[in-house]
Amino acid sequence: QVQVVESGGGLVQPGGSLTLSCAASGTILSIYAMGWYRQAPGKQRELVATITRRGTTNYADSVKGRFTISRTNAKNTVFLQMNSLKPEDTAVYYCNTRLEAWGNNYWGQGTQVTVSS
């Protein structure tokens, strides 16, 4: 079994910054990729950013240049540095851990990010 736990959400003013953290633990031999997704009220869950074990990253167009994803392979952790936050970034952010290239996904419980003045 694999557990995924996020932390670091909160309330921030527009233009501010937040860093989200996620740690995966349990029966893990290796992790193919980790990433962040978000879901705003009334909307579908969408990709924010992903990073593979080799360090290949992928970002949603809406966050490119503002968000940075990074990963510590030895500790099975992933971070999302979010700068220049906008009200439209408000959502519940979920951490995803993919053990294999074909899938085998595990999700965290989500952490709320609210951008508001």
Side-chain angles (χ1 to χ4, degrees), residues 5 17 21 23 36 39 57 62 67 73-74 78 82-83 87 89 93-94 98 100 104 109-110:
V5 179
S17 298
S21 302
W36 293 94
Q39 187 167 18
T57 58
S62 60
F67 292 9
N73 288 334
V78 66
M82 304 184 293
N83 298 325
D89 294 317
Y93 284 68
Y94 296 91
R98 175 174 292 187
E100 309 289 346
N104 198 8
Q109 78 287 352

Side-chain angles (χ1 to χ4, degrees), residues 53-104:
R53 183 173 184 84
R54 294 186 176 186
T56 301
T57 58
N58 181 43
Y59 293 92
D61 288 343
S62 60
V63 306
K64 284 181 180 177
R66 300 188 297 123
F67 292 9
T68 302
I69 190 169
S70 60
R71 177 175 169 176
T72 303
N73 288 334
K75 296 183 177 181
N76 293 332
T77 57
V78 66
F79 306 93
L80 185 68
Q81 174 67 44
M82 304 184 293
N83 298 325
S84 302
L85 283 161
K86 306 174 180 180
E88 50 263 44
D89 294 317
T90 295
V92 177
Y93 284 68
Y94 296 91
C95 179
N96 171 269
T97 296
R98 175 174 292 187
L99 300 187
E100 309 289 346
W102 52 263
N104 198 8

